[in-house]
Amino acid sequence: MILTDDDRRLRDGDEGPAVAAAMDLLVRYGEALDAERLCDVRNVAGTTTQPSPVKARLVAEGGWDRAFSLINLDADETLPIPPMAVPTCQLQHGFGRDAVGVAPYPPEMIALQDDGEAFVGARGVSVLATCTPYQVGNLPVRGEHCAWMESSAVVYANSVLGARTNCEGGASTGAASLTGRIPCWGNHRDDERLGTHHVRVETPVASFLDWGLLGYAVGDAVQEGRPVVTGDLALPDLTDLKHFGAAAASSGGVEMYHVPGVTPEATSTEAAFGGRPPRDTVVFGAAERRAAYERLNDQGTCEDVDFVLLGCPHASLDQLRDAARALEGRRLADGTELWIMAPRALVAVAERSGYTAVIEAAGGRVLTDSCPAMSRTAPAGTRVFATDSAKQAHYLPAILGIEAWFGTTAECVDAAVTGRWRGELR
């Protein structure tokens, strides 16, 4: 790799051993990718505080310096961790104290996470604790090079915001936070942001459900490609695009998509492809929509629902408001629980707006910081859950061994109130 004088200075230890270890990791990473150089980044979104038994053991051995050194820097020894060199935020992690008595989650993991938050906060990390940092103040500008984890956040940053990031890991974001560098490859390069597949939509896509189904079908069809989506599309809002991207990143490995006239790097279909022909054309019609719906519901057999999950990726204020309206004056069925996951910063606004009170009066709970997939937990005894999230319907049955139903938000609220699934397939 071509290193600048500044890069070499950091690698050679002028800013201390932790920064030198970070640069060593980034150089090894870049050389493995055949990257020519490093990009300067000023926005890192990673995870340090997520608790685990391994992390608990490392902290017991040498404090959070040791955990950060081994996990986030791939170092062989405990290094003193200095303040972050560039703005860095903590993404979603484990459940917090608001879940005590609600989620069957170990209290010692909550205590470990609190301790981790204090450690990273003292070093300049903003603990946003959400998979949607763009909803709570971390909004990189178009063309800005970033180093982000979390597939749903990465595809949103690249596609909707026009920022530039690959889907990074805990070690690469840890190294980036101490150096302001990341290998310049993939989505950082102009030619790697152009469309690869043309998706022709031939059945109406208008609702939140529709956008999730479209994303799930597209991800499965293009895998790690960059789809350009045209056709029978209603103008999406930001929540629709959040759902589409998360679904496409779950069924495939999509890190960037274009919707001509909507996303910033696609002023036209021609611009999205950069004048190149698409590798392939994918049709999304009524049959493909039905196939995606049936695939997301193929792990549900029992119509008795004991858990309903909304808010993956973390709910927006609009989604919290809509859930409150759907629940107003109603009550959850006995034996059925409803969790709505949202960023803590937005929950504060939801509380002031009265949304949380309505949801809780119905028997639901608004929880922060995590999700059942991230924390690998659901209400005790859960056998069947329902969700409006294609991502959770894709992952949670495999993670927790439970059945899943996928449908509209209204169908999920109905399931929470009746204890029964009465979605499209029923």
Side-chain angles (χ1 to χ4, degrees), residues 89-378:
C89 75
Q90 165 69 39
L91 294 166
Q92 79 277 22
H93 46 191
F95 278 113
R97 297 203 171 274
D98 61 342
V100 173
V102 180
Y105 190 68
E108 62 271 19
M109 291 293 102
I110 296 176
L112 179 64
Q113 183 167 282
D114 287 346
D115 193 38
E117 288 185 11
F119 175 84
V120 298
R123 286 155 182 79
V125 175
S126 298
V127 184
L128 301 183
T130 177
C131 54
T132 59
Y134 48 85
Q135 291 195 127
V136 292
N138 188 347
L139 276 170
V141 299
R142 179 177 175 180
E144 181 178 351
H145 294 283
C146 305
W148 280 23
M149 293 176 63
E150 168 55 36
S151 62
S152 70
V154 166
V155 69
Y156 193 97
N158 282 314
S159 310
V160 181
L161 303 178
R164 300 186 171 211
T165 180
N166 296 304
C167 199
E168 298 293 350
S172 59
T173 52
S177 67
L178 292 180
T179 62
R181 311 283 201 282
I182 204 73
C184 193
W185 73 288
N187 298 320
H188 294 283
R189 297 170 53 91
D190 291 346
D191 59 329
E192 295 294 330
R193 298 177 66 82
L194 298 173
T196 58
H197 295 70
H198 186 191
V199 177
R200 199 169 66 235
V201 178
E202 296 181 351
T203 192
V205 171
S207 68
F208 181 75
L209 177 79
D210 292 339
W211 281 97
L213 290 171
L214 175 61
Y216 200 70
V218 167
D220 185 50
V222 309
Q223 290 300 304
E224 296 183 354
R226 295 180 293 277
V228 178
V229 186
T230 67
D232 196 352
L233 305 170
L235 183 67
D237 63 20
L238 296 179
T239 300
D240 295 329
L241 295 176
K242 172 166 66 90
H243 194 198
F244 172 84
S250 299
S251 60
V254 175
E255 295 183 8
M256 184 169 186
Y257 62 84
H258 301 280
V259 182
V262 174
T263 54
E265 295 180 38
T267 53
S268 66
T269 303
E270 294 72 21
F273 285 110
R276 304 187 303 198
R279 291 181 199 166
D280 196 8
T281 296
V282 176
V283 173
F284 181 81
E288 289 76 19
R289 182 193 188 279
R290 188 66 179 177
Y293 185 88
E294 290 178 353
R295 185 178 170 199
L296 283 165
N297 282 286
D298 67 2
Q299 299 190 65
T301 57
C302 179
E303 294 176 20
D304 295 324
V305 174
D306 38 35
F307 175 41
V308 175
L309 173 67
L310 305 178
C312 174
H314 279 177
S316 66
L317 276 175
D318 287 349
Q319 289 175 292
L320 289 167
R321 179 202 62 213
D322 291 347
R325 287 177 176 172
L327 286 163
E328 192 160 16
R330 307 171 79 182
R331 185 74 191 171
L332 300 193
D334 290 341
T336 302
E337 291 196 41
L338 167 67
W339 294 357
I340 305 177
M341 310 307 304
R344 198 181 299 193
L346 294 190
V347 171
V349 181
E351 289 173 350
R352 294 185 71 174
S353 303
Y355 307 152
T356 305
V358 172
I359 293 165
E360 291 181 345
R365 297 300 297 259
V366 179
L367 299 175
T368 64
D369 295 0
S370 193
C371 72
M374 191 75 177
S375 289
R376 297 177 178 268
T377 189

Side-chain angles (χ1 to χ4, degrees), residues 293 406 411 421-426:
Y293 185 88
F406 168 76
E411 288 167 348
W421 182 251
R422 301 186 293 197
E424 216 175 281
L425 286 180
R426 290 293 177 268

Side-chain angles (χ1 to χ4, degrees), residues 409-426:
T409 306
E411 288 167 348
C412 290
V413 170
D414 178 76
V417 170
T418 65
R420 300 279 293 173
W421 182 251
R422 301 186 293 197
E424 216 175 281
L425 286 180
R426 290 293 177 268

